[in-house]
Amino acid sequence: MRVPLRWLGESVDLPDDVSLEHVHAALVSVGFEEEAVHTFDLTGPVVVGRVLERVPEPQKNGKTINWCQVDVGEAEPRGIVCGAHNFDVGDLVVVTLPGAVLPGPFPIAARKTYGHVSDGMIASARELGLGDEHDGILRFADLGMDPEVGTDAIALLGLDDAAVEINVTPDRGYAMSMRGVAREYAHATGATFSDPVDRVLPRTGDGFAVTIDDAAPIRGRVGSSTFVTRVVRGIDASRPTPAWMVARLSLAGVRSISLPVDITNYVMFELGQPLHGYDLGTLQGGLTVRRATAGERLTTLDAVERTLDAEDLVIADGDGAVGLAGVMGGARTEITAATTDVLIEAASFDQVSIARTARRHKLPSEASRRFERGVDPLVAQAAANRAVELLVDLAGGTPDALGSTLVDESARPTVTMRLDRAAGLIGVEYTDAEVLDTLRAIGATVGVDGERVAVTPPSWRPDLVDDVSLVEEIARIVGYDRIPSVLPVAPPGRGLTRHQQARRRVSAALAAAGLTEVVTAPFVSAATAAAFPGIDPAGGPSVLLANALDSAQDHLRRSGLPALVDVARRNLSRGLVDVAVYETSRVFLPEPGVELGTVEVPVGAERPTAETLAALDAALPPQPFHVSALLVGNAVLKQPGTTVEPFGIADALDVARTVAWAVGVELTVAQTSHPSLHPGRAASLLVGDVVVGVAGELLPERTADADLPRVVAVVEMDLDALVAAAPELVDVSAIVSYPAATQDLSLVVDVSVPAGDVLTEVRAGAGDLLEYARLVDDYRGAGVDEGQKSLTFALRFRATDRTLTAAEASEARDGAVRRAGERFGATLRD
């Protein structure tokens, strides 16, 4: 909302030395946001001049210029070159003298052009910043003005005014008017407020038929409750709009169109009530407010023929719709230069209906912006009467008794609250006088009954519906600076939960390992949900959304991998060929055979009961946190002395071990099969006997569908299960200073025996002296019988209290061999 200062000063006392900064600061103190300042960016000297002589001079380029002698109130006239031709000798014009700066900036100086020294410039409306008109210069006769030569034209045209711009939130539509902003400035500064409504002379109108036909209101909301019409006859629509009105509308952000339209816009900005003017001679009978019929068509003022929706609220006469209510009028009844009789409409319309219509037709307007925020239903008569005054004074019209007055004067609901309610909510000790004075200052009617007050909000404040909104007004008007800044003290023992700490450790560990964290949406298609069933392929179906944002992705994911596949595809398509990403996110795992129910929740401000909240929780599927990772491309890049090493299942297992280490659990790896993973390159991840994840390489058909390389390593782990299996406290081992004894162990086993199972038995057989064991080689070839494989393990032994002997290390190793032999028939490789 742009607020010209002189216009504002007509409704509230402003200081003589008022500045834009002062007005902005005052409005910010009562809750508005500062946006910008607006001026005409014009400096003088700019004066009124009279054309004494105009000599047309044709040029070689075919253009004709005028060499003019102009009286600007000085001893001698000035010679000025002008390219416009819409003026003649004797006309009063705007002359910008050397030293002036026009918007742009465009400095004016005496300069030689077309064989003359032009000592100034005769200006057009656009050059002065008054509008877009640039076909000719600005003549005072066209403005209905006859000023003295030499008069300062900047002040005469209102170009020395300025405006502040504020952001008006959707709940405070009353502030989208000079009337509302003036009242708020008075709240902020204590200045005297003068309601412009009180200055409007009362008028009545009768005999014009108006019908509100909304028998089946949309969602229980009636389309219109107030509809006022007034008639003015004999106007001269071709008369110019006064310069002061053009300047004010320009600062307010609206261009001048024609005098009748400018008047309706002016009243809208002044009082906050949008108006619409009809050419009375084009109307067929009275007006009806109704819903559009399906497929009904209307050509609006922007010359666009629109197909209306059955929810659209329209104004219609005997021949059909003549306007989209509260949004834009129709072309058939438009006021033109030939119009003599005008019908002014001032109405109130349902906020939701107007907002939906404006968005449906992509037709936002100054009127719809106000209606969708809420317009004072009791200001309609004053606004219509104000428009009549201006049409009479400026357009030469005559008021007519024809009109209508349909106003909903039903009382606003009364809100009851305790006097100490504000102090209890805000934490400030407001006195009873502060509470009562504030409520009366905003226009409310207040009745006091002991410790309670009954408050009837004013008609222009539809947002005040309960005691909380009234308390907010008290805090705002008395001053936000009264509210202390106090940080709450956290109760002892609070902080991050165990699960939150584990998630942070996992994320930090993976980022430190070189992976990049991503955040993705949880929605997938039915085909994707089937292709990526998650850690447990037999876990059940995925959740189908009842009202999906995208019909192509109408299921909730059971796995975090599909989104990572999309991330990898997008990065590879942009030339990033080595990708290592991870995400910690929720997945949705409905229990097989359990039907997800629906729960009715209360509408509006009513708080759900504990039973309702419990039923909502029960209706939701389990949503555990999973950590997922995807690696594609090269783990080690080609460089001198180093060969390329692509990502594979070993890297996925390293990621899994990093997650387990961050949580504080020991991970066991076992060979498995999985519908999303390559046969023979899939592993189950276990903590004890509980499967907590899977790792491996994606099926080639999955990678082909996503346009990815053939080998894509992935891992997915149930973070909730990992945290549940982790000890409450992580044991911190002391650093042992005694040296370690290392040995390699190569065992020959059947190819069907999983290497992870052999490693488990090696660790169990080696005993307490074993500090570290890892598979380093899986060999199948010459020297090993057909159907068998050689697994080589790196072993490290250490004692905490002494240096181990070679015999002790060998004995521990032999224990590992015996255990593997007993379990799998393993033998030492020669």
Side-chain angles (χ1 to χ4, degrees):
M1 173 67 186
R2 296 185 181 185
V3 186
L5 295 194
R6 288 186 181 169
W7 201 352
L8 179 67
E10 293 182 355
S11 297
V12 68
D13 290 343
L14 297 177
D16 293 337
D17 59 347
V18 64
S19 65
L20 297 171
E21 293 76 12
H22 164 76
V23 176
H24 253 154
L27 296 176
V28 167
S29 71
V30 287
F32 295 98
E33 293 182 11
E34 176 182 341
E35 290 289 336
V37 298
H38 300 274
T39 66
F40 285 102
D41 295 327
L42 179 78
T43 59
V46 180
V47 299
V48 178
R50 185 183 299 277
V51 180
L52 302 179
E53 183 179 351
R54 180 172 74 92
V55 179
E57 296 184 355
Q59 304 298 310
K60 293 180 180 180
N61 59 6
K63 180 178 180 180
T64 299
I65 61 97
N66 295 298
W67 172 238
C68 305
Q69 298 297 314
V70 184
D71 178 10
V72 295
E74 299 173 339
E76 297 293 332
R78 291 185 180 245
I80 298 176
V81 172
C82 183
H85 303 283
N86 66 320
F87 67 101
D88 210 335
V89 173
D91 283 343
L92 293 173
V93 294
V94 178
V95 181
T96 59
L97 301 178
V101 179
L102 300 184
F106 180 60
I108 303 300
R111 63 189 182 94
K112 187 172 182 179
T113 179
Y114 294 108
H116 301 281
V117 175
S118 184
D119 199 13
M121 186 181 79
I122 303 176
S124 68
R126 190 172 74 174
E127 288 163 340
L128 295 171
L130 273 174
D132 298 328
E133 179 61 43
H134 197 57
D135 292 338
I137 64 167
L138 179 65
R139 302 188 315 151
F140 283 100
D142 294 335
L143 300 177
M145 302 175 69
D146 186 22
E148 292 185 6
V149 171
T151 303
D152 181 4
I154 293 179
L156 190 66
L157 297 174
L159 302 178
D160 54 348
D161 200 0
V164 298
E165 183 176 0
I166 56 175
N167 180 29
V168 178
T169 53
D171 61 330
R172 298 170 72 180
Y174 67 94
M176 297 191 72
S177 66
M178 297 302 136
R179 181 195 188 203
V181 175
R183 182 180 280 108
E184 290 299 321
Y185 178 86
H187 293 332
T189 63
T192 301
F193 168 69
S194 174
D195 194 339
V197 168
D198 296 337
R199 300 194 291 268
V200 179
L201 295 176
R203 297 177 187 273
T204 59
D206 195 15
F208 186 81
V210 172
T211 305
I212 296 180
D213 182 12
D214 197 17
I218 305 298
R219 293 174 299 280
R221 304 170 68 101
V222 176
S224 179
S225 57
T226 296
F227 205 96
V228 174
T229 60
R230 296 289 184 266
V231 171
V232 180
R233 298 187 185 275
I235 71 164
D236 182 358
S238 64
R239 283 193 184 184
T241 301
W244 59 266
M245 182 177 287
V246 173
R248 288 185 176 183
L249 290 175
S250 178
L251 281 177
V254 177
R255 65 184 179 89
S256 175
I257 298 174
S258 66
L259 179 58
V261 175
D262 291 348
I263 287 173
T264 58
N265 282 335
Y266 186 84
V267 175
M268 175 180 66
F269 277 94
E270 185 176 57
L271 301 182
Q273 170 68 60
L275 301 177
H276 185 65
Y278 301 88
D279 185 333
L280 184 62
T282 63
L283 287 174
Q284 304 301 315
L287 293 179
T288 300
V289 184
R290 60 171 173 81
R291 300 289 171 174
T293 58
E296 187 173 5
R297 304 183 73 82
L298 169 69
T299 301
T300 46
L301 289 173
D302 55 359
V304 175
E305 186 179 28
R306 303 179 186 277
T307 301
L308 306 183
D309 186 271
E311 281 195 15
D312 290 334
L313 195 67
V314 299
I315 311 298
D317 66 0
D319 282 351
V322 295
L324 275 173
V327 179
M328 185 174 284
R332 176 163 63 87
T333 57
E334 179 182 8
I335 295 176
T336 66
T339 299
T340 57
D341 299 337
V342 173
L343 176 78
I344 296 295
E345 165 213 308
S348 65
F349 301 110
D350 173 49
Q351 297 172 235
V352 175
S353 178
I354 301 305
R356 290 172 66 91
T357 294
R359 284 157 179 75
R360 184 181 297 115
H361 294 283
K362 298 180 175 60
L363 197 60
S365 63
E366 290 289 347
S368 67
R369 290 177 60 203
R370 286 161 174 78
F371 279 124
E372 64 190 35
R373 285 166 168 80
V375 171
D376 181 1
L378 301 186
V379 80
Q381 290 192 76
N385 293 338
R386 174 65 167 150
V388 170
E389 287 181 1
L390 292 173
L391 285 170
V392 170
D393 294 341
L394 303 179
T398 301
D400 194 284
L402 185 65
S404 64
T405 304
L406 178 61
V407 177
D408 180 9
E409 297 184 355
S410 57
R412 291 288 309 280
T414 298
V415 179
T416 303
M417 73 175 211
R418 291 181 56 86
L419 277 170
D420 60 358
R421 178 65 165 151
L425 279 181
I426 305 300
V428 176
E429 292 300 325
Y430 298 110
T431 65
D432 291 351
E434 286 178 321
V435 171
L436 297 174
D437 289 347
T438 300
L439 294 175
R440 293 187 179 109
I442 63 174
T445 303
V446 181
V448 182
D449 183 10
E451 294 299 316
R452 306 188 71 83
V453 290
V455 183
T456 303
S459 58
W460 59 84
R461 295 300 302 271
D463 57 310
L464 303 180
V465 295
D466 52 25
D467 59 347
V468 175
S469 56
L470 294 175
V471 167
E472 183 181 357
E473 286 298 289
I474 294 169
R476 185 175 69 87
I477 301 302
V478 175
Y480 291 131
D481 57 327
R482 287 274 298 275
I483 303 174
S485 298
V486 179
L487 291 176
V489 178
R494 296 289 180 88
L496 295 178
T497 65
R498 182 165 172 262
H499 193 280
Q500 290 170 333
Q501 291 173 344
R503 279 170 32 210
R504 290 196 177 187
R505 287 197 302 270
V506 167
S507 187
L510 292 178
L515 282 77
T516 300
E517 184 175 16
V518 297
V519 179
T520 64
F523 310 117
V524 296
S525 66
T528 302
F532 292 91
I535 295 174
D536 181 8
S542 57
V543 177
L544 175 64
L545 294 171
N547 188 21
L549 294 174
D550 183 352
S551 60
Q553 295 184 318
D554 56 356
H555 285 69
L556 291 175
R557 63 186 173 195
R558 292 182 55 86
S559 167
L561 295 181
L564 297 187
V565 169
D566 288 340
V567 169
R569 178 177 60 239
R570 187 161 53 252
N571 279 273
L572 263 66
S573 69
R574 296 173 181 175
L576 303 175
V577 295
D578 303 312
V579 177
V581 293
Y582 77 95
E583 180 180 19
T584 55
S585 59
R586 291 192 183 275
V587 296
F588 305 85
L589 307 176
E591 299 174 5
V594 176
E595 191 76 20
L596 298 180
T598 58
V599 179
E600 292 291 333
V601 296
V603 178
E606 182 184 350
R607 179 181 174 83
T609 64
E611 292 76 13
T612 300
L613 294 175
L616 284 170
D617 286 337
L620 297 175
Q623 303 172 34
F625 268 100
H626 278 199
V627 55
S628 310
L630 180 146
L631 309 109
V632 62
N634 294 321
V636 177
L637 301 180
K638 181 175 178 57
Q639 53 189 312
T642 304
T643 59
V644 170
E645 293 185 18
F647 285 118
I649 185 173
D651 300 287
L653 292 174
D654 280 343
V655 171
R657 294 188 183 97
T658 299
V659 173
W661 169 82
V663 175
V665 297
E666 185 172 350
L667 203 63
T668 302
V669 179
Q671 189 171 1
T672 189
S673 61
H674 191 278
S676 300
L677 302 179
H678 195 295
R681 300 193 182 193
S684 288
L685 308 174
L686 300 94
V687 175
D689 296 331
V690 179
V691 176
V692 295
V694 293
E697 297 174 6
L698 286 180
L699 276 173
E701 62 186 76
R702 300 276 188 271
T703 61
D705 290 341
D707 296 324
L708 295 178
R710 183 176 179 83
V711 178
V712 177
V714 295
V715 59
E716 181 164 11
M717 305 177 74
D718 186 337
L719 195 50
D720 288 357
L722 287 170
V723 174
E728 290 289 341
L729 297 175
V730 178
D731 293 332
V732 179
S733 302
I735 297 176
V736 180
S737 59
Y738 294 100
T742 59
Q743 294 194 15
D744 287 341
L745 174 63
S746 295
L747 297 175
V748 178
V749 297
D750 190 89
V751 292
S752 63
V753 178
D757 292 349
V758 178
L759 179 59
T760 299
E761 298 304 323
V762 166
R763 286 171 173 165
D768 295 337
L769 293 178
L770 181 66
E771 184 180 71
Y772 171 84
R774 185 172 183 181
L775 177 69
V776 296
D777 189 35
D778 182 338
Y779 174 75
R780 310 173 194 199
V784 178
D785 294 341
E786 183 72 23
Q788 292 192 313
K789 61 184 176 182
S790 173
L791 303 176
T792 300
F793 301 93
L795 309 179
R796 184 171 70 228
F797 301 96
R798 194 195 306 264
T800 60
D801 57 351
R802 67 189 187 282
T803 300
L804 286 180
T805 64
E808 289 177 309
S810 296
E811 182 180 351
R813 183 204 62 187
D814 293 342
V817 174
R818 285 194 300 273
R819 182 67 176 257
E822 294 170 359
R823 180 72 174 81
F824 301 112
T827 60
L828 278 172
R829 181 182 174 190
D830 294 336

